[in-house]
Amino acid sequence: MKDIIRNIEIQKEIMEEESYNPFIIEFYYNHKGTLFGFKAAGETGFSQYGLYIVAAGVSALIINTVNSLRLLTDETTEDEVQRNYIQCILPNLKKNKGSKEGIILLRALRLGVRSIQETYGDKYVTIVEIREEKKSSILKIFK
């Protein structure tokens, strides 16, 4: 365990010497607080020992989540993938009609990304949570 902690400290020291834009990961919540999607953008580039581990970790979590949503659930996904960018929305979860499996997979992604952020810092991974506004009861009458 001491070796693992020491390796992380060495990685942090190396990373402090370099300057990069962080991964920015936005998690989307509907008006009832249900996590229904995410957007991730950024890169750290291929770099010295330590920094690429952040990119690899975040990328692996994201790719695994999208693949798991597609292959292990009945969820419909709306995704857009480009170089250093991905957005994945689960429209049924946005409407509070999605599966428990979809919710768990998105929460697991959020947990993993937060763990990387806590280990390596906000300088390399920024998490933004975007919550939809609650609809007014007056609007419901007219819709």
Side-chain angles (χ1 to χ4, degrees):
M1 185 65 163
K2 287 182 181 181
D3 290 339
I4 293 171
I5 293 170
R6 179 65 187 136
N7 283 339
I8 291 172
E9 292 303 318
I10 291 170
Q11 292 168 4
K12 285 181 182 179
E13 289 172 15
I14 292 169
M15 291 164 60
E16 288 299 319
E17 298 171 6
E18 299 187 11
S19 175
Y20 291 91
N21 292 327
F23 272 97
I24 298 174
I25 301 169
E26 297 177 350
F27 289 103
Y28 302 121
Y29 298 84
N30 67 16
H31 65 279
K32 291 190 175 184
T34 301
L35 177 59
F36 68 85
F38 65 92
K39 176 174 77 173
E43 68 175 320
T44 56
F46 187 78
S47 178
Q48 294 180 11
Y49 175 78
L51 190 54
Y52 65 87
I53 198 165
V54 174
V58 171
S59 296
L61 287 170
I62 290 170
I63 291 166
N64 185 63
T65 299
V66 172
N67 287 339
S68 296
L69 286 165
R70 290 178 182 164
L71 299 172
L72 302 176
T73 74
D74 293 329
E75 289 290 342
T76 300
T77 62
E78 295 175 354
D79 23 67
E80 179 183 351
V81 180
Q82 298 175 15
R83 186 174 193 274
N84 304 319
Y85 174 89
I86 186 167
Q87 181 174 22
C88 180
I89 303 295
L90 282 69
N92 289 335
L93 281 178
K94 186 174 182 177
K95 300 173 195 169
N96 284 312
K97 297 180 182 178
S99 68
K100 289 181 183 179
E101 294 86 357
I103 292 169
I104 290 169
L105 288 168
L106 289 176
R107 286 181 179 173
L109 171 63
R110 185 184 62 201
L111 178 67
V113 171
R114 277 206 175 122
S115 177
I116 291 172
Q117 181 191 43
E118 289 171 4
T119 301
Y120 295 98
D122 291 345
K123 183 175 178 180
Y124 301 100
V125 178
T126 299
I127 297 172
V128 178
E129 295 189 338
I130 299 173
R131 300 180 186 280
E132 291 182 336
E133 301 266 336
K134 290 184 179 180
K135 294 182 180 180
S136 168
S137 58
I138 294 173
L139 290 175
K140 289 181 185 177
I141 294 171
F142 296 105
K143 288 190 177 190

